[in-house]
Amino acid sequence: MANPLIKISDLKRDFVLGSETIYVLKGIDLEINKGEYVALMGPSGSGKSTLMNLLGCLDTPTSGTYILNGKDVSKMHDDELAEIRNKEIGFVFQTFNLMPRTTALDNVALPMVYAGHSKSERHERASEVLTQVGLADRMDHKPNELSGGQRQRVAVARALVNKPSIILADEPTGNLDSKTSEEIMGLFNEIHKNGNTVILVTHEEDIAAYAHRIIRLRDGIVEKDERVK
């Protein structure tokens, strides 16, 4: 059996507010294999956003270990984490997080700028992923010239551009109507079928139902971890 893509052991995250310590994650153990499609669920305050920030290397744990693709990222410094984020993780956010005055093509190419690719390489790869998400005819449009669903497709293409190990999506349909939500989730199904590992953070059962495994958090621990497909 190959090593898991993600291996988390006794992961804890505390936040100190004044004289008080808030224990958000209270010892999470988790393994996710390459090519899995996982939904992370839980009520507000369950710790799912904190866990997502740790999985995405946007934050570091108070204690415990996080091995991502064979590297211990739990002890890394900010610069090393930034590099891991850019190479290993593609993010999709609820609010799209696109640059408003920049075309879809340049928005998608942005992570490749940080990775040091040439302009021709960037444009070729960005065109490829925009075509993959069904926006071949919208590459020169700015975000305000696109619908919400099209903007989220641009965000998905940007997440794919560096061929990351993981696509991490935080409430990716939170700002979309139900028809557009279905289209975006269909796109995630395609991405998963192409061999990507997808981790989806959601509080909506119908969105979580697209995943093949649902991990439910409550009060900072894993309450339930079930395979659904």
Side-chain angles (χ1 to χ4, degrees), residues 117-183:
H117 294 279
S118 70
K119 188 167 186 179
S120 61
E121 283 176 322
R122 296 198 301 263
H123 279 183
E124 187 183 336
R125 174 69 183 147
S127 304
E128 193 183 303
V129 283
L130 277 166
T131 303
Q132 191 184 331
V133 300
L135 290 179
D137 57 344
R138 292 281 186 275
M139 295 193 194
D140 297 328
H141 289 58
K142 296 194 170 108
N144 67 348
E145 299 166 329
L146 300 171
S147 69
Q150 288 170 333
R151 279 183 236 174
Q152 194 58 297
R153 283 172 186 270
V154 173
V156 170
R158 182 185 56 192
L160 289 168
V161 79
N162 271 344
K163 302 181 180 168
S165 307
I166 304 167
I167 300 292
L168 202 50
D170 186 13
E171 303 279 6
T173 59
N175 281 342
L176 304 173
D177 61 53
S178 53
K179 181 179 179 297
T180 312
S181 296
E182 275 179 35
E183 287 170 10

Side-chain angles (χ1 to χ4, degrees), residues 11 14 16 26 33 57 61 68 76 79 84 98 103 119 128 143 150 162-163 165 196 228:
L11 204 70
D14 316 334
V16 178
K26 299 168 184 168
N33 293 317
C57 298
L68 169 60
M76 284 185 180
D79 292 352
I84 290 277
L98 300 175
T103 64
K119 188 167 186 179
E128 193 183 303
Q150 288 170 333
N162 271 344
K163 302 181 180 168
S165 307
N196 290 84
V228 283

